[in-house]
Amino acid sequence: MTTHTELPSMQEFLLDVAGKKIFVAETGEGPPVLLLHGGGPGASGVANYARNIAELAKEYRVIVPDLPGYGRSAKGVDGADPFGYLADTVRALLDRLGLDKAHLVGNSYGGACALRLALDTPDRVDRMVLMGPGGIGTTRALPTPGLNSLLNYYSGDGPSRLKLEKFIRNYLVFNAADVPDSVIDARYQDSIDPEVVAAPPLRRPKSLRALWKMDFTRDKRLARLPVPTLVLWGAADKVNRPSGGPMLAGRMPNCDLYEVANTGHWVQFERAELFNRLCADFLAGRR
C-alpha cells in the first residue's frame, strides 16, 4: 500500500542559473539531495516527488528543481545533446547554491541527467539513486511502446488530455487506478503551456550522433565511474526496459540493482514506502 504523505512547507526560489531562470523548492536539513524529475508531458519536480519529499526531509536537505523546459523553469533544451544540457544546468545550479557536492536522485529523464553529470564531473556527486533512467541501451533496441507514446505526445494532432491519460494509465504505472484524475488534470494544463508546445523539452534524437551520445552503454567512462549508485527499476516498466538495470550493474563498478515487482516506470510514486526507505538508507551509507 502506498502512503499518501502530505507535502511539507517548502521554500521556493526562481534562481538565475547560467543565464536562465530555474525554479527550485527546498525543505529539510542535512546533507543536500537533489531530486531530478522525469521528462513526461507536464512533469515538474515537486509533483513527481510528492510522496517522497516529506520522508527524505527528515534526514536531508531536499532540493527539488524544475528541469529546463518544465514547470516554472525557463523553456527550451538543446536537442543536439539534451542530457549534457540538463547536466550542465544542474551543475550550474549546484554552483549557484554554493554546493561543491550533493547526492543526486533521478527518475527517467532526470536519471539520465544525473548519470551524465556524474560521468562528466564525478567529484560533484556524493551518492546517486537512479529510477528507470533514460539512455540505457537505446541504440540496441527499438523504442518501447511507452516511450513512443511519450515522444508522440506533441506530434500528429497535438497534445490532448486523452493522450496524456493513455500514456500515464497504460504505460507509466503498473496500476492505473493509483493515479488520481487530479494528477492528470494538473499535468495536462502544464503540458499545453504555449512555450512548451512550441519547443517540447523531450524529442526524438535529431541525428545518429545525438542518438549515440544519448546511450550511456556506449560511454566507456561508465566502467570507471566511482560514484556509489543504487539503480531501482520497476519490473513492469513499459517506458524504459527493465533490462537496462543489468546493463548498468554489469558496467558500473559501484552499482547496486534492485528490481521492484509489480511496478512500472514511476517507482518513487508507485512504491513510495519502499523507495523512501531504500533511498534514505543508501544515501546515508547504511546499505
Side-chain angles (χ1 to χ4, degrees):
M1 180 69 68
T2 300
T3 299
H4 296 256
T5 306
E6 291 293 324
L7 277 168
S9 61
M10 305 186 74
Q11 293 181 294
E12 298 183 350
F13 311 92
L14 195 60
L15 300 176
D16 193 319
V17 177
K20 46 192 170 284
K21 296 295 183 183
I22 298 296
F23 173 81
V24 177
E26 73 165 80
T27 187
E29 296 182 1
V33 179
L34 266 69
L35 305 184
L36 306 175
H37 64 80
S44 62
V46 171
N48 271 214
Y49 289 100
R51 297 181 176 181
N52 320 114
I53 292 169
E55 282 300 311
L56 293 177
K58 293 176 180 178
E59 192 171 352
Y60 299 97
R61 176 187 174 189
V62 178
I63 302 164
V64 193
D66 288 346
L67 292 174
Y70 294 88
R72 286 181 261 182
S73 288
K75 303 306 182 277
V77 172
D78 179 6
D81 184 17
F83 297 163
Y85 181 85
L86 295 177
D88 290 347
T89 302
V90 172
R91 188 182 306 104
L93 175 61
L94 291 177
D95 293 340
R96 180 70 174 77
L97 294 170
L99 298 173
D100 293 331
K101 195 176 231 188
H103 298 304
L104 299 181
V105 175
N107 174 227
S108 195
Y109 208 29
C113 167
L115 187 52
R116 177 62 181 273
L117 194 158
L119 286 169
D120 290 348
T121 49
D123 58 305
R124 303 300 299 272
V125 184
D126 196 341
R127 286 177 166 242
M128 184 163 57
V129 178
L130 307 175
M131 300 88 76
I136 311 301
T138 44
T139 61
R140 303 177 191 274
L142 293 173
T144 63
L147 185 57
N148 276 327
S149 175
L150 192 164
L151 293 172
N152 291 337
Y153 181 72
Y154 289 101
S155 61
D157 55 359
S160 71
R161 190 191 183 284
L162 184 62
K163 284 173 76 171
L164 184 59
E165 182 168 24
K166 180 180 178 182
F167 166 67
I168 290 175
R169 297 205 188 281
N170 293 3
Y171 297 114
L172 188 65
V173 296
F174 179 77
N175 178 14
D178 194 34
V179 183
D181 285 341
S182 58
V183 169
I184 296 172
D185 291 338
R187 285 189 63 152
Y188 174 62
Q189 288 303 317
D190 286 346
S191 78
I192 57 174
D193 179 317
E195 285 188 89
V196 177
V197 175
L202 182 58
R203 311 190 203 193
R204 295 184 188 277
K206 290 185 173 182
S207 65
L208 188 59
R209 176 173 179 168
L211 176 65
W212 203 264
K213 187 177 282 192
M214 292 173 69
D215 185 351
F216 292 109
T217 67
R218 304 289 184 182
D219 193 325
K220 294 179 181 178
R221 297 177 298 172
L222 208 56
R224 305 189 301 273
L225 185 63
V227 177
T229 302
L230 171 63
V231 174
L232 300 169
W233 217 301
D237 192 333
K238 296 178 183 177
V239 178
N240 292 333
R241 289 183 177 85
S243 57
M247 284 186 189
L248 279 179
R251 288 167 170 81
M252 298 172 70
N254 296 310
C255 178
D256 292 343
L257 173 62
Y258 194 112
E259 189 169 284
V260 189
N262 302 317
T263 304
H265 187 55
W266 227 7
V267 174
Q268 80 280 7
F269 183 91
E270 299 176 71
R271 299 292 300 277
E273 289 182 4
L274 174 67
F275 170 82
N276 293 339
R277 183 170 66 252
L278 291 175
C279 184
D281 285 349
F282 181 80
L283 295 180
R286 293 191 290 265
R287 61 184 311 119

